[in-house]
Amino acid sequence: MELNAIQSPLQAGQAVKRQAETISSGEAQESFKALLGNALSEVNTLQNESSQKTEALALGKPIELHDVMITGQKASVSLQATIEIRNKMVEAYQEIMRMQV
């Protein structure tokens, strides 16, 4: 198992950040929407995979304990990163709403 396979949603967003200067606001909205959707989909996939492996271990199927633990930790780290990104987005929105026009 490669550790390079573990990616946070922030790493995926770096490519979009580099392109931000050259695209219109409509394109930026669609790009952000796609980025957010893909990140949430990836987190969901990791959570489902972790649940399946945990269930297989509990049922006594032939699966290695370390595989279950690694999968669980990947899912946990991915979920925590997503939660932190959400918190930062909410914080930025609240800061914008506090600005006086």
Side-chain angles (χ1 to χ4, degrees), residues 11-101:
Q11 290 174 333
Q14 289 176 350
V16 173
K17 184 178 178 183
R18 284 184 227 117
Q19 295 176 355
E21 297 173 3
T22 61
I23 59 176
S24 71
S25 65
E27 291 171 333
Q29 289 175 0
E30 287 301 315
S31 178
F32 181 74
K33 178 182 172 183
L35 173 71
L36 195 57
N38 290 341
L40 291 176
S41 176
E42 182 180 337
V43 169
N44 187 45
T45 300
L46 289 172
Q47 291 289 328
N48 288 338
E49 184 180 345
S50 175
S51 294
Q52 290 172 355
K53 286 190 177 186
T54 302
E55 183 178 337
L57 182 68
L59 292 174
K61 293 183 179 176
I63 188 166
E64 297 291 331
L65 177 62
H66 67 274
D67 285 339
V68 176
M69 297 304 294
I70 290 171
T71 304
Q73 286 300 309
K74 278 202 273 186
S76 177
V77 168
S78 181
L79 181 62
Q80 289 299 320
T82 303
I83 289 170
E84 288 302 318
I85 291 169
R86 180 203 55 126
N87 291 344
K88 290 294 182 181
M89 289 172 48
V90 169
E91 203 174 290
Y93 173 77
Q94 289 172 343
E95 185 68 29
I96 290 170
M97 295 309 291
R98 275 183 252 159
M99 288 182 183
Q100 294 181 1
V101 179

